[in-house]
Amino acid sequence: MYANEVPLFKMKKDIIIAGVGGQGNIFAGAVMCRYAIEKGYNVAGTETIGAAQRGGSVVSHIRIADGPIHSPLIPAGTADVLVGMECLELLRNFHMLGPNGWYMLNLYRVPTVYTNLGIDRYPTMDEIFESLNLHALKGVSIPATAKAVELGASQTTNMVLLGALVRADGFFNREDVRALVGTSSPARFRSSNLDGFDAGYDFRPDVSESVS
Amino acid sequence: LEKKYVMGNEAITRGAVEAGVKVAAGYPGTPATEILDRFVEYPHVHAQWASNEKVALEVALGASLAGVRAMAVMKHNGTNVCTDILMHLNFTGVSGGLVLVSADDPGGLSSQNEEDSRILVHTYANLPVFDPSSALEAKAMVKEAFILSESTRMCVALRPVMRVCHSRAIIPFENYDPADAPLAHWVDDRERYIMSAVEVRELGGIKRPQARHRWLNAKYREIQTLFENSPFNAIEDGEGDVALVGCGIGYSYVKEAQAIIGSRLPVFKLCTLPIPIDRTLRFLKGKKRVVVFEELEPVVENLIKELCQEHHIDVEILGRSGFYPSDGELTVSTVIDALRRAAPSLENNRPPKVRRLSIDIPVRTRTQCVGCAHRALLYNVKRIARKQNGIVFGDIGCHDAGAFKPLELQSTIYCMGSSVPMATGAFFAGEGRPVFSIIGDSTFFHLGINGFINGTYQGATQVVILCDNGTTAMTGFQPHPGSGVNFYGEISSHVDLVKLGESVGATVFTVDPYDLDATYETLLEASGTDGLSLVVASKPCFLRASREGINLFEPLDGVRVDEERCNGCMMCINDFGCPALVYDAEVGKVHIDEISCVKCGLCINVCKRGAII
């Protein structure tokens, strides 16, 4: 939390969604923003979308507060929630989390050009969990992409994660977010997006001190 | 009045619309693209994707001289392309309000370089620049820029950085009436609009360029005085003799940084160039040390240093020149670190703890999309270049990722259109190895066409491979003179690349990049031809086609690796590099990732062992 003696906010929620191009990162963020705006909060943010369509890293910063927001970028070491849509991308943004932050990891790994060539090594899941658990932050991991594939639409990974996030974080209200998923989705993706959202919500993620 | 949650870029569009802009022209480039894109919602404005940024600014200038409000939109590289017209319109001044939007990309997140276009526009061309600290301010600044431009008859620039362009914020959309905008009314003014070495009778026969330079210098000082009262500059009192100057987004980071660590150093919000002299002097009074936070070069820092020297003021001025990093994007963390070092009294104002993982995190580079026709083409160019020991010159566009691992095909990537003339130069250098260049269609029309005509004219033997996907794909599918549609999607004339190549005198070949064998044979023939050969490889962008539900190929039922036959030679990954081909180090074989594979089947022909089926 901010050290300022006179806190700027009673409520601040800084969320980072980190993934790779094509995972629907920006759409999931847009739904959260719409929700917060409907609840009367100030909302700001930014995203790195330069290479979004070509397999590069994509990061959305979503800032929700009941006071003025200056920087569109969430400062390092202050984020409240980190959603890793892909394992490496969660690790890459882990330093953004603040002392009371928590994270949600999608158990899904996309190799990089360098790991594919054997120049870099993609860490094993054991190594990833071991590294994360050295830090006393709460976290949860869910197989969102596997669930989306099971539902027949791998591109709804973002909605599975959103459903799980809404269940885990009391800031969000299920019915309101679900309604926004419905109204924000293009017609041909509406029902699969809602299915994904519901499946994510049903994961009942248990945000605990360690992930495995 | 309505409030919307939009990108900074859309806030800029809306500001221009509310200001009554009539003509808006630009060339796509991250982070500026959406500014022009959004005009599609305001059909009463004439918007156009020009063939390049210089053309865009000239279109906007013509509209301004005809009396209406006009805007040119581009990224910093485009402003470089505009330098010539910029260094003339600054001398002539304008008629209707003319605003140049030059978006910078500190950190080079989506660019070939990082640079500060304030230097070109302000320090070199002596034009005023607004540097917005937020999306909301960017909108206010665009409106003010039109008013200032018309009242001073100077072109005014808005320089948003990527974090303003790509920020999102709640923005008020105010009402406007297109009928309030100025109407076209051309008035001849040869004293201004004829920029030529002609004697000015009224000034004792000095030449026009010198006379206009005198005018420009006077205008600069006039605007400097006007900015004493600019609402975009403000002094915020605080405690102590160490103080901060926040320029543009730097101001927002200063505010955030002070809130985080709980400090109350005085702040000067300084978002205009030129800087107001009196106001700056007032701020410096009683200060011992001042740190300037700006993107990306020490422009304001150096101006304040000059001021201190002229006025014999003993204040230490620190900033981009070395007190904090002189390269890359500013962050709140950088600001916090700098202000704790600048103000020893902040020793106990702890920065946020930043956690580090004990694990190596591999970098993630981009490549072409799965299914992209560029990959098939690059694969064949690599085969030919390898066979003939060729040198491949690259250009800007999605195909540029062929220069990275695993392909490492192109040997150079510079700026728009540079590939063809560089190949011409290497040919005449007597290098002896065959020279190739790879250029996209939008880049070809931008500035590539000049080098193409030159290469043919000079008689260089070189192969130009034109990756023609019919659109400006990298920035989100903006049309260009070869697309056959205009900004609004209406049918337009379109350049026939084959006829163009023939009329210039090139030997022209056409290929379907998805037809791997035929493309290989044609490239082989082209590379054995004297003079300049143009290989036009036309195929729509796969990403765009798939979004529109168009099949560019008949998807196979399934593509898989026969594990018995795969010996892990990696040829498919090294030479083709589709991201759906994944090497599994544990078993030493490749497999196909079913989630990302689009079943184009191209890799089946790439594997020489027949292991992909």
Side-chain angles (χ1 to χ4, degrees), chain B residues 527-595:
Chain B
S527 62
T529 304
D530 280 343
L532 190 147
S533 300
L534 174 68
V535 180
V536 180
S538 299
K539 188 58 76 177
C541 167
F542 174 76
L543 184 68
R544 185 185 203 188
S546 55
R547 280 186 190 172
E548 293 172 356
I550 299 166
N551 273 342
L552 297 179
F553 48 80
E554 211 44 59
L556 301 175
D557 287 339
V559 184
R560 62 182 187 87
V561 174
D562 179 347
E563 289 203 7
E564 296 294 309
R565 287 201 193 148
C566 176
N567 65 351
C569 75
M570 301 280 284
M571 190 191 140
C572 58
I573 289 176
N574 285 323
D575 291 355
F576 192 62
C578 176
L581 295 163
V582 178
Y583 181 66
D584 187 343
E586 276 176 32
V587 292
K589 290 178 193 298
V590 170
H591 72 267
I592 290 173
D593 176 52
E594 281 194 34
I595 292 179

Side-chain angles (χ1 to χ4, degrees), chain A residues 75 131 140 168 180 200 212:
Chain A
S131 170
V140 62
L180 282 168
S212 60

Side-chain angles (χ1 to χ4, degrees), chain A residues 2-4 8 20 26 33 37 41-51 53-57 63 70-73 75-78 86 88-89 91-92 94-95 97-99 108 110-117 119-121 123 127-128 131-132 134-137 145 149 154 188, chain B residues 5 7 30 34 109-110 133 162-163 166-170 249 252-253 255-256 258-262 329-333 350 352-369 398 405-406 473-474 476-477 543 546-547 570 573-574 578-579 581-583 593 595:
Chain A
Y2 284 17
N4 204 328
L8 284 170
V20 296
I26 311 275
C33 291
I37 290 167
Y41 290 101
N42 191 18
V43 179
T46 182
E47 56 233 14
T48 305
I49 56 173
Q53 291 155 354
R54 287 159 289 272
S57 303
R63 311 203 65 184
H70 296 292
S71 167
L73 274 175
T78 70
E86 195 277 340
L88 273 190
E89 301 313 311
L91 302 180
R92 205 183 305 289
F94 189 77
H95 67 286
L97 277 171
Y108 181 58
V110 178
T112 73
V113 169
Y114 285 81
T115 62
N116 227 358
L117 293 171
I119 298 167
D120 286 336
R121 196 175 62 79
E127 289 167 336
I128 290 170
S131 170
L132 290 172
L134 287 175
H135 296 268
L137 288 182
T145 300
V149 169
S154 63
R188 61 188 170 128
Chain B
Y5 184 66
M7 260 183 139
T30 312
E34 296 84 359
L109 274 75
S110 310
S133 64
M162 187 271 281
R163 288 299 169 200
H166 286 181
S167 68
R168 289 178 192 269
I170 299 171
I249 194 78
S252 297
Y253 295 156
K255 295 290 281 183
E256 188 87 28
Q258 294 231 85
I260 289 177
I261 65 168
E329 196 184 4
L330 268 181
T331 64
V332 171
S333 303
R350 311 302 297 176
K353 182 186 170 194
V354 176
R355 293 161 193 272
R356 297 288 167 195
L357 292 172
S358 58
I359 193 168
D360 287 333
I361 306 168
V363 296
R364 190 180 295 284
T365 53
R366 69 183 156 82
T367 176
Q368 285 86 27
C369 304
C398 296
K405 284 186 186 304
M474 205 169 196
F477 318 123
L543 184 68
S546 55
R547 280 186 190 172
M570 301 280 284
I573 289 176
N574 285 323
C578 176
L581 295 163
V582 178
Y583 181 66
D593 176 52
I595 292 179

Side-chain angles (χ1 to χ4, degrees), chain A residues 59-109:
Chain A
V59 186
S60 293
H61 288 229
I62 295 155
R63 311 203 65 184
I64 301 166
D66 57 2
I69 302 166
H70 296 292
S71 167
L73 274 175
I74 297 168
T78 70
D80 301 295
V81 184
L82 168 62
V83 180
M85 302 187 75
E86 195 277 340
C87 293
L88 273 190
E89 301 313 311
L90 178 118
L91 302 180
R92 205 183 305 289
N93 290 279
F94 189 77
H95 67 286
M96 300 303 290
L97 277 171
N100 301 313
W102 66 277
Y103 55 90
M104 177 179 285
L105 172 64
N106 178 21
L107 295 169
Y108 181 58
R109 309 196 308 162

